[in-house]
Amino acid sequence: MSVIRDLRAAVRPSRRRDDAPYSCEKPVPVCPNSAIVDCGVYREGRRVSRHLSPAEAMASVRADGGFAWIGLHEPSEAEFAGIAQEFGLHPLAVEDAVHAHQRPKLERYDDTLFTVFKTVHYVEHAELTATSEVVETGEVMCFTGRNFIVTVRHGGQGSLRALRHRLQDDPELLAKGPSAVLHAIADQVVDGYIAVAGAVQDDIDEVEIDVFSSGSDGRGSAKGGDAGRIYQLKREVLEFKRAVSPLLRPMQLLSERPMRLVDADIQKYFRDVADHLARVNEQVLSFDDLLNSILQANLAQATVAQNEDMRKITSWAAIFAVPTMIAGIYGMNFTFMPELKWKYGYPAVLLVTVAICCGIHRGFKRNGWL
């Protein structure tokens, strides 16, 4: 298992540098001290401008057609106010986009779709402990209109730069408009879920092996007895579940309900994303059930171990009760007691005591108490 983890840790970083769903790259703003990471105009699937301001991008779109894609990273209210006014974004959606910490959802405000995605990143660790962070979450929020899409990202994960480059290499798909970008973001987020689910599965397998493996004494290993690791992993799976499960309904709506802002051809692709998301959701739910079973098995093993210890303690207490009882009787100092004046009385009592203790020990040994 450690070899697999080391290999996974070595492969993943190199993969993220190219076109992985989640990149740890720091966003490079278009302008210094600005939350705008990129702003471009796309016409017939090709980018026709480089770094523009949102106002310039929309002016170009209104004049010559196409759509604008503005990407932001953790904007403040002041930084987002001008963009919200330029694109006519609803104040409630703007408030959610600025303050983040939203559950995945899909809302419609007039001629704008507001979509919230939870991005999930697997945190590499050499060994799972009771305090290990397994998954790290962020957020990507999308405002999708007829001729624009505004993406707002929160957290250090979920960079959209590689996604933008891939879409620019596929003009035919990008020509479908803002809904093509929305689908690509949803697809990238769900692909990230699939990758994280596989990594979490490895952690659960490792914990399961530790719990059910036996040491030289036939009992569970000491490492497997750490219920804190299991509970911590269960908490991380719960955080993962909060990102996946609420997204099912939005993906179902995007894939089944006709929407003016979603191209009919792109809607077919949303069905594939919804299918992948449903499978991941089932997998995450099974993680929760499996961890419950592992935790119960761990507690049962601890109970069995305690019972075995108590049986041993009880057995030895019963053995030592015999000499204690005999010594107590002969320590009462009565005048007339059996064999007090006999020459061999003392060794005879010791011999009888040892014989009785050996007999009791043999009985407990035969019954598995010792």
Side-chain angles (χ1 to χ4, degrees):
M1 183 63 66
S2 61
V3 175
I4 296 176
R5 185 180 297 282
D6 293 341
L7 181 60
R8 189 177 65 213
V11 171
R12 281 185 181 163
S14 61
R15 188 186 66 181
R16 292 195 188 102
R17 282 193 293 269
D18 298 325
D19 57 350
Y22 298 104
S23 170
C24 296
E25 294 178 287
K26 294 293 184 181
V28 180
V30 174
C31 301
N33 302 321
S34 172
I36 301 177
V37 178
D38 200 354
C39 178
V41 173
Y42 297 86
R43 197 169 294 121
E44 296 182 356
R46 300 186 182 279
R47 184 163 184 165
V48 296
S49 65
R50 284 301 167 187
H51 304 308
L52 300 175
S53 69
E56 293 171 339
M58 281 308 297
S60 175
V61 169
R62 294 188 183 104
D64 303 317
F67 72 93
W69 180 1
I70 296 90
L72 301 97
H73 181 256
E74 297 182 354
S76 64
E77 292 185 12
E79 290 173 324
F80 202 40
I83 297 176
Q85 183 177 5
E86 180 68 34
F87 292 94
L89 306 181
H90 196 279
L92 292 177
V94 170
E95 182 181 359
D96 289 345
V98 171
H99 297 290
H101 303 295
Q102 304 295 316
R103 69 193 303 271
K105 60 183 179 179
L106 172 66
E107 295 177 342
R108 181 169 181 173
Y109 296 96
D110 299 327
D111 289 332
T112 304
L113 287 180
F114 177 58
T115 315
V116 178
F117 300 97
K118 280 279 190 181
T119 59
V120 179
H121 166 67
Y122 179 77
V123 180
E124 298 287 352
H125 46 269
E127 182 180 5
L128 182 66
T129 66
T131 58
S132 294
E133 184 180 11
V134 178
V135 296
E136 181 181 4
T137 59
E139 293 180 39
V140 174
M141 305 175 184
C142 303
F143 295 87
T144 309
R146 291 182 177 276
N147 54 7
F148 69 87
I149 180 167
V150 178
T151 57
V152 182
R153 185 166 62 88
H154 290 268
Q157 311 300 327
S159 173
L160 301 178
R161 184 180 301 124
L163 174 65
R164 186 187 288 263
H165 292 163
R166 286 200 302 271
L167 285 175
Q168 290 175 172
D169 292 336
D170 190 355
E172 184 177 353
L173 179 61
L174 199 55
K176 299 295 183 179
S179 60
V181 179
L182 179 63
H183 163 264
I185 294 173
D187 187 50
Q188 173 171 293
V189 169
V190 174
D191 283 347
Y193 293 165
I194 296 174
V196 172
V200 173
Q201 179 69 67
D202 291 342
D203 284 331
I204 295 177
D205 291 343
E206 180 181 344
V207 170
E208 186 177 18
I209 291 172
D210 289 339
V211 168
F212 291 102
S213 62
S214 299
S216 58
D217 58 352
R219 295 164 59 181
S221 63
K223 186 177 180 181
D226 187 5
R229 295 191 312 141
I230 305 174
Y231 187 70
Q232 174 65 15
L233 188 56
K234 186 173 175 62
R235 287 176 60 89
E236 296 296 303
V237 168
L238 179 60
E239 185 175 359
F240 190 13
K241 180 180 176 182
R242 288 171 179 167
V244 175
S245 296
L247 191 58
L248 288 171
R249 181 59 178 167
M251 286 299 102
Q252 184 179 9
L253 292 175
L254 287 171
S255 62
E256 297 177 357
R257 180 177 297 179
M259 297 183 182
R260 289 179 298 171
L261 298 175
V262 178
D263 187 273
D265 293 334
I266 295 298
Q267 192 168 37
K268 300 175 183 178
Y269 290 96
F270 274 113
R271 296 173 189 169
D272 183 64
V273 177
D275 179 63
H276 291 170
L277 181 64
R279 285 190 294 169
V280 173
N281 184 63
E282 292 174 359
Q283 192 174 5
V284 173
L285 293 178
S286 69
F287 288 165
D288 197 30
D289 293 337
L290 182 57
L291 285 172
N292 284 334
S293 300
I294 294 174
L295 184 59
Q296 291 174 0
N298 178 263
L299 296 176
Q301 286 182 343
T303 302
V304 170
Q306 291 176 352
N307 290 339
E308 290 180 356
D309 293 337
M310 289 302 299
R311 287 195 299 179
K312 290 182 179 180
I313 293 173
T314 303
S315 300
W316 285 110
I319 292 172
F320 284 111
V322 174
T324 302
M325 181 189 66
I326 294 176
I329 292 174
Y330 276 89
M332 286 191 248
N333 295 324
F334 288 109
T335 302
F336 302 100
M337 293 190 71
E339 315 303 339
L340 284 179
K341 304 298 182 180
W342 185 35
K343 178 179 179 181
Y344 300 104
Y346 177 69
V349 170
L350 292 180
L351 184 61
V352 170
T353 301
V354 172
I356 294 174
C357 290
C358 289
I360 296 175
H361 183 275
R362 183 178 179 183
F364 284 135
K365 195 78 172 177
R366 183 182 303 169
N367 294 327
W369 282 49
L370 289 175

